[in-house]
């Protein structure tokens, strides 16, 4: 039996991770949960983020996911242990996955305020590269503007300039997109950065780690080479949100290349932090 891959995020951001899964493993069934009723996560307290993670993961487990991909850095930074305890299945996180791939000692992290102040990226990268200098910058303006579809807004550009300034001044040569919404900003960020700076999307390293797990359950890992990526009409993902299904379908359309069928769900969980 093939493995159902569960992914969750506060909103649209996790779609950047889902797209990688769909491209590499087009025959795999996914369940995507966007917790849009509670977006953004990144300005919430540690306790809130942990309690939300327990509830979301409990719900995903009830839907029969066989592997959980945390498509949200904020939950990953503050609640990986909560997700691992609640999932009952393997949990893949973005932060550890990408840390091992970093090949620079001058690294910048753009992330939500909660992720940046947790120090999770610095710890994970320095565990692999003790000499690495890791500068973490919280970017509170990004997620609300991205969720509102304001990718061309002057205030987005202005905010990006402000967040990048300390990283450019520190001379970083690698910047990790430490929030899954941020790959949607790559054109903007690239236009503001020296050409020598490399942007790293943690989803790439994370999604590769799915391969062996999928192979254990029906050999789906090699399918990307054998089958072309599915068109949107052949999307094997079930999309669920805690807020408006219609609003999410509309907002997700440009990122998925088609309008997904989205279901509004109530998590109704009694889950508690273990
Ligand atoms: N996309 C999520 C992350 O990677 C959450 C952003 C938010 O809701 O603030 O952190």
């Amino acid at each position: 039996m093939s493995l159902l891959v569960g992914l969750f995020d506060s909103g649209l951001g996790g779609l950047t991770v889902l797209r990688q899964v769909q491209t590499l493993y087009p025959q795999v069934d996914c369940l995507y949960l966007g917790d849009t009723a509670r977006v953004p996560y990144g300005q919430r307290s540690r306790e809130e983020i942990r309690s939300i993670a327990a509830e979301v993961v409990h719900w995903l487990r009830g839907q029969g996911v066989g592997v959980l991909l945390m498509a949200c850095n904020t939950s990953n930074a503050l609640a990986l242990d909560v997700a691992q305890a609640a999932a009952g299945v393997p949990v893949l996180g973005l932060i550890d996955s990408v840390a091992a791939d970093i090949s620079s000692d001058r690294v910048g992290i753009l992330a939500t305020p909660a992720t940046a102040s947790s120090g999770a990226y610095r710890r994970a990268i320095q565990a692999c590269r003790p000499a690495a200098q890791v500068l973490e910058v919280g970017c509170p303006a990004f997620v609300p503007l991205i969720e509102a579809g304001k990718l061309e807004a002057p205030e987005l550009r202005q905010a990006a300039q402000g967040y990048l300034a300390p990283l450019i001044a520190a001379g970083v040569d690698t910047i990790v997109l430490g929030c899954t919404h941020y790959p949607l900003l790559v054109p903007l960020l690239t236009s503001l950065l020296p050409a020598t700076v490399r942007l790293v999307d943690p989803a790439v390293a994370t999604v590769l780690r799915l391969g062996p797990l999928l192979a254990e359950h029906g050999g789906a890992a090699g399918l990307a080479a054998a089958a072309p990526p599915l068109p949107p009409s052949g999307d094997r993902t079930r999309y669920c949100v805690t807020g408006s299904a219609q609003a999410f379908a509309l907002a997700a359309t440009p990122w998925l290349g088609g309008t997904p069928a989205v279901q509004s769900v109530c998590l109704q969980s009694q889950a508690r932090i273990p």
Side-chain angles (χ1 to χ4, degrees), residues 183-195:
L184 304 175
L185 301 179
V186 165
L188 171 64
L189 298 174
T190 307
S191 75
L192 296 171
L193 284 167

Side-chain angles (χ1 to χ4, degrees), residues 9-10 13-14 39-43 71-75 112 115 143 178-181:
D9 182 41
S10 59
V39 65
Y41 282 176
Q43 271 108 298
C72 172
N73 288 268
T74 307
S75 309
T112 64
T115 300
V143 169
C179 168
T180 52
H181 283 73

Side-chain angles (χ1 to χ4, degrees), residues 40-247:
Y41 282 176
Q43 271 108 298
R44 291 180 182 275
S45 69
R46 177 176 185 274
E47 290 65 36
E48 275 180 298
I49 292 164
R50 289 172 68 77
S51 125
I52 289 171
E55 188 179 60
V56 165
V57 174
H58 186 263
W59 182 84
L60 285 165
R61 182 179 185 166
Q63 303 300 308
V65 304
V67 57
L68 178 67
L69 213 164
M70 295 184 84
C72 172
N73 288 268
T74 307
S75 309
N76 188 168
L78 289 118
L80 177 63
D81 60 324
V82 171
Q84 284 167 332
V89 295
V91 176
L92 298 181
L94 297 153
I95 299 175
D96 284 342
S97 302
V98 75
D101 267 15
I102 298 296
S103 55
S104 162
D105 284 334
R106 284 176 302 145
V107 186
I109 311 292
L110 295 174
T112 64
T115 300
S117 61
S118 76
Y121 265 103
R122 184 179 37 74
R123 282 193 300 279
I125 292 171
Q126 288 179 344
C128 302
R129 301 179 69 86
Q133 299 199 351
V134 182
L135 190 55
E136 294 162 287
V137 176
C139 311
F142 279 169
V143 169
L145 287 168
I146 295 169
E147 286 285 327
K150 295 186 174 169
L151 292 190
E152 307 297 331
E155 61 261 47
L156 184 67
R157 189 177 182 84
Q158 217 169 13
Q161 279 167 332
Y163 300 145
L164 290 176
L167 299 181
I168 295 171
V172 304
D173 59 18
T174 300
I175 294 180
V176 177
L177 302 171
C179 168
T180 52
H181 283 73
Y182 300 174
L184 304 175
L185 301 179
V186 165
L188 171 64
L189 298 174
T190 307
S191 75
L192 296 171
L193 284 167
T196 46
V197 177
R198 179 175 162 243
L199 293 176
V200 177
D201 179 356
V204 176
T206 312
V207 169
L208 281 175
R209 291 177 60 202
L210 261 183
L213 291 169
L214 296 174
E216 274 172 33
H217 292 79
L223 290 177
L230 291 172
S233 57
D235 194 334
R236 301 178 67 111
T237 300
R238 179 179 158 216
Y239 297 89
C240 297
V241 291
T242 53
S244 157
Q246 203 186 1

